[in-house]
Amino acid sequence: METFAAPALRLAVLPASDELADSKEKAYFSRGFIEDLITDLSRFPNLGLISHHSSFSPRIQNLDDRSIAQELAADLLLKTSVRNEDHQIRVNTQLIDPKSGSVVWADRFDSPAADVFSLQESISEKVTSTLSKQIDAATLGAARRKSITELEAYDCWLRGLEKLREGNIESDEEARELFERALEIDPHYPRAFVGLSLSHFNEWSCQNWELSEISECRAFQYAHHAFQLDQNDSVAHLVLGRVYLFRREFEKAEEHITRAFELNPNDADHLVQIASCFTFLGSHERAEQIFDRALALNPYCDPWYFAYGGVILMMQKKFDEGIAMALKAPLTNVWIDLAAFVAIAHAYQNDPQKAATYRDLFLEAFQEKIVSGRRAHTGEPRDWLIEVNPFKRKEDANLYINGLRLAGFEEKPAASPTPSPIKVAQNDHPVFRLENNLRIVAYEGAKTRLPEIKGFKDIERILANKDAEIHCTELMGNVSEDGAPDEIMDAKARSEYARNIRELQADLEDAKAANDSARAESIREELDPLIDHLAKSVGVGGRSRKMAAPAERARSAVTWRIRSAIRKIEAAHPALGRHLENSIRTGTFCAYSPEKPVHWTV
């Protein structure tokens, strides 16, 4: 079992002195500066950093240094004050030994505002050199090195973080505008991409369930871009790891989650997320150890910590402890399926009445937040719970799914099997014809029937005009000139669209890994409009910077329709699905160009 050594020293960085804050309007800068300093210092594994949630707590504001240290279980206190005025920054620092009351070290730093990053690094280096007997100086080289950028970009980053903390869709949208402004100043600023990723990750994980597909795609897109710019950014690794986890790409997930922990082992908020990921990956003891470390570093933690801690314990069959911890958190606001986990735990404890109570509490939240008030279909809540909880180990998945059954979650009625292709004579012509609202398809001696969808109409027209380039607007039909989307997507359509986007994102990663810039650019030209079209169709923020032209909307919609249709064909008729995948080109112009002549009956 892996263990984690206790840090040699525990340091609390206290908030800036109020008397040096020029105005409430500028207070965000000093707060953000100090939080970034805490993040810099937290890079050192042998130094335990108390979370800013605890060191900034009102409970300690009027206490003396000795009492603060006792409350936070801190060995040393770092006091700072920040003044940001006339393009100059002045930072006063004092490292205090609270037991003796002595000042271990003090200094004043004056710097042009444009050198704010170097200033933070200087303070971090001074503190760590003072603690050199307890901290391995070699870890200094692994500390985060921020890209030098203009102060205005950094200012936008700090303001964006303040907006993200408000925790609602409107503030996320305002944060995005600030991060986009930072990128206008410096297009290669990794933290701006991290901020954009976090804003969509918030919507995906805890705010706007109906738009989870587009939020997930955007979170991945921006986190991956940040990772490419700075592979030592722990936040980018954490977001990427969680997206890969929910995509069930477990090896990639574990790689990024582990790296996030190595890069920043002392950020309490991140440790809670990391611990949760290790639970899904099946590393239960490690998950509990990391979660306990987070609690030690942030003794005045927010209640949402306990939602994650409760699940970590329950998945180890520590049901009593898990229930007690989970009930300290809001049951349906932080992690909507937390009530379902509590129901499962009570079911395993042979308490069907309490299991039913928490099951029904989850079902009410599911109807309100997941399916937007409509009545859920039979088995739909159970299927959703299985889909959004990606357990790597079969034993964990079985424990969870059996618990859902014991707690009374209904299963979906068995679906009719996909029709198997019927063998026909090899010399029969290939067929792609509509009869009585069923699509009759025959190819290479096999024939089947499929319910008609829009994408089949597109494919029929393309097949009937071999090698001819057909503009996407012709396939789309009447294209609105007012910027409105062609149609509103239902949940199933959004899910299929998002799966298509994920496949393209994986292709893009492969192309970049192979240094195939031409292929990467081709994929990106197809990928970006698809994501923007999905965003526009579901109304994320009401904005779409790349989809102003109706032709672009038609291109994205037709591409998705054809790809979705080919996927359905491949499930029923694999040979034909592969042929169409290799022979049909989509984009602004669509065409059918098979390697050898094929004469279709349509």
Side-chain angles (χ1 to χ4, degrees):
M1 181 181 72
E2 183 175 356
T3 59
F4 302 103
L9 286 176
R10 289 165 61 88
L11 174 69
V13 182
L14 302 184
S17 304
D18 289 338
E19 63 267 339
L20 286 182
D22 299 321
S23 67
K24 290 184 178 180
E25 186 177 65
K26 291 186 177 180
Y28 79 91
F29 184 92
S30 58
R31 176 186 173 93
F33 182 95
I34 293 169
E35 288 180 9
D36 261 11
L37 177 60
I38 292 174
T39 300
D40 276 337
L41 293 170
S42 73
R43 301 278 174 170
F44 299 92
N46 294 330
L47 180 62
L49 258 293
I50 304 299
S51 167
H52 73 271
H53 295 297
S54 291
S55 59
F56 284 24
S57 172
R59 295 171 56 178
I60 65 171
Q61 284 185 355
N62 298 320
L63 300 180
D64 58 36
D65 291 343
R66 183 185 291 270
S67 299
I68 290 174
Q70 290 175 346
E71 279 287 314
L72 299 178
D75 301 299
L76 295 169
L77 305 178
L78 183 64
K79 292 185 174 183
T80 62
S81 62
V82 180
R83 185 188 295 275
N84 175 22
E85 186 174 81
D86 296 329
H87 306 293
Q88 286 289 122
I89 296 177
R90 168 168 293 181
V91 180
N92 292 302
T93 59
Q94 288 186 327
L95 190 63
I96 307 293
D97 180 351
K99 293 181 181 178
S100 65
S102 61
V103 177
V104 178
W105 162 77
D107 207 341
R108 187 181 77 186
F109 298 83
D110 292 299
S111 171
D115 294 335
V116 61
F117 302 108
S118 298
L119 183 62
Q120 286 176 319
E121 290 176 2
S122 296
I123 297 173
S124 177
E125 289 172 359
K126 283 289 184 73
V127 172
T128 53
S129 66
T130 303
L131 304 174
S132 59
K133 291 182 180 180
Q134 293 83 13
I135 299 175
D136 183 356
T139 61
L140 185 61
R144 174 164 59 93
R145 291 292 185 264
K146 299 174 182 173
S147 302
I148 301 300
T149 187
E150 296 180 45
L151 177 63
E152 188 179 355
Y154 181 67
D155 189 61
C156 290
W157 158 249
L158 293 177
R159 289 181 185 271
L161 283 185
E162 289 292 305
K163 285 296 178 182
L164 287 182
R165 291 191 186 98
E166 295 177 16
N168 57 67
I169 295 173
E170 293 75 16
S171 60
D172 279 349
E173 187 66 20
E174 292 181 49
R176 279 181 210 128
E177 292 177 359
L178 289 162
F179 298 138
E180 287 169 357
R181 169 61 184 149
L183 289 174
E184 290 174 4
I185 300 165
D186 183 354
H188 305 292
Y189 186 25
R191 280 279 153 163
F193 286 106
V194 167
L196 287 169
S197 177
L198 286 172
S199 72
H200 290 287
F201 192 86
N202 283 355
E203 288 186 357
W204 172 35
S205 61
C206 57
Q207 289 174 15
N208 197 335
W209 305 102
E210 187 177 6
L211 308 182
S212 61
E213 294 93 352
I214 181 62
S215 299
E216 186 242 32
C217 291
R218 287 294 199 193
F220 175 87
Q221 182 186 37
Y222 289 123
H224 196 268
H225 202 145
F227 168 72
Q228 290 179 310
L229 291 170
D230 183 1
Q231 297 189 15
N232 290 318
D233 191 303
S234 62
V235 181
H237 279 286
L238 176 57
V239 176
L240 272 178
R242 292 205 67 187
V243 175
Y244 278 127
L245 179 65
F246 283 89
R247 291 183 174 186
R248 288 168 170 77
E249 297 183 47
F250 296 115
E251 290 185 6
K252 289 182 178 179
E254 187 163 4
E255 177 185 342
H256 285 286
I257 295 301
T258 300
R259 187 61 178 146
F261 178 77
E262 292 171 349
L263 287 168
N264 197 345
N266 291 321
D267 186 312
D269 286 0
H270 290 175
L271 289 181
V272 174
Q273 304 282 350
I274 289 169
S276 172
C277 291
F278 277 121
T279 288
F280 286 113
L281 291 168
S283 301
H284 296 294
E285 292 180 348
R286 188 179 193 189
E288 187 173 2
Q289 289 174 356
I290 294 175
F291 180 77
D292 289 343
R293 182 182 180 91
L295 289 182
L297 291 173
N298 190 7
Y300 297 145
C301 65
D302 292 330
W304 66 263
Y305 276 42
F306 301 117
Y308 292 87
V311 172
I312 289 168
L313 291 169
M314 286 185 278
M315 288 308 300
Q316 296 182 76
K317 301 182 182 179
K318 299 178 181 180
F319 298 119
D320 285 335
E321 296 175 59
I323 291 170
M325 181 169 288
L327 294 181
K328 296 179 182 179
L331 278 177
T332 58
N333 291 337
V334 176
W335 191 343
I336 192 172
D337 36 340
L338 180 61
F341 277 98
V342 174
I344 289 170
H346 279 301
Y348 276 116
Q349 296 290 78
N350 297 314
D351 192 338
Q353 185 174 356
K354 287 186 178 178
T357 297
Y358 289 102
R359 178 200 66 211
D360 293 344
L361 182 63
F362 164 77
L363 292 176
E364 290 177 9
F366 181 87
Q367 182 173 357
E368 176 189 352
K369 297 182 178 181
I370 307 300
V371 294
S372 303
R374 70 167 171 81
R375 185 186 181 94
H377 305 307
T378 301
E380 189 177 8
R382 176 184 177 277
D383 288 351
W384 185 88
L385 285 166
I386 294 172
E387 176 64 25
V388 300
N389 286 286
F391 295 104
K392 178 182 179 181
R393 296 197 319 162
K394 186 175 180 180
E395 306 94 295
D396 296 332
N398 288 341
L399 175 73
Y400 177 68
I401 293 171
N402 186 55
L404 292 173
R405 179 184 60 79
L406 293 174
F409 285 93
E410 294 182 296
E411 296 186 38
K412 182 191 295 184
S416 301
T418 301
S420 300
I422 303 168
K423 293 295 181 181
V424 297
Q426 284 282 357
N427 57 0
D428 282 357
H429 285 302
V431 175
F432 200 86
R433 185 177 63 245
L434 182 64
E435 291 182 4
N436 299 322
N437 206 36
L438 287 176
R439 180 62 59 170
I440 311 301
V441 294
Y443 180 75
E444 290 190 347
K447 180 179 180 181
T448 191
R449 295 174 175 83
L450 294 168
E452 180 68 356
I453 59 174
K454 285 186 176 182
F456 291 165
K457 284 281 190 184
D458 301 326
I459 293 174
E460 177 183 339
R461 185 168 179 184
I462 294 169
L463 294 179
N465 294 273
K466 187 174 75 72
D467 293 326
E469 292 191 335
I470 304 175
H471 199 277
C472 59
T473 55
E474 293 183 49
L475 294 171
M476 194 70 179
N478 293 328
V479 179
S480 170
E481 296 296 333
D482 62 3
D486 172 61
E487 59 184 348
I488 299 299
M489 295 184 187
D490 60 19
K492 184 177 180 181
R494 289 200 308 269
S495 179
E496 292 181 356
Y497 210 126
R499 181 169 61 177
N500 185 15
I501 289 171
R502 288 194 291 268
E503 290 173 357
L504 285 172
Q505 288 174 331
D507 290 344
L508 182 60
E509 284 185 74
D510 292 341
K512 289 178 177 177
N515 293 319
D516 190 342
S517 58
R519 179 168 169 250
E521 183 61 28
S522 176
I523 294 171
R524 190 180 292 108
E525 287 179 359
E526 183 175 0
L527 175 62
D528 289 345
L530 281 174
I531 293 177
D532 283 330
H533 178 70
L534 178 56
K536 190 70 174 179
S537 298
V538 296
V540 177
R543 298 186 300 122
S544 181
R545 296 168 60 187
K546 299 181 181 178
M547 292 301 298
E552 282 297 299
R553 292 199 302 278
R555 171 188 170 184
S556 298
V558 168
T559 296
W560 171 74
R561 286 190 337 206
I562 293 174
R563 282 183 174 270
S564 179
I566 291 174
R567 189 179 295 114
K568 290 182 182 297
I569 292 169
E570 187 173 17
H573 197 316
L576 178 56
R578 288 192 295 271
H579 172 73
L580 296 177
E581 180 69 30
N582 294 330
S583 304
I584 290 180
R585 172 168 53 86
T586 58
T588 303
F589 290 91
C590 301
Y592 171 62
S593 302
E595 291 184 358
K596 58 183 180 180
V598 181
H599 302 287
W600 288 93
T601 299
V602 296

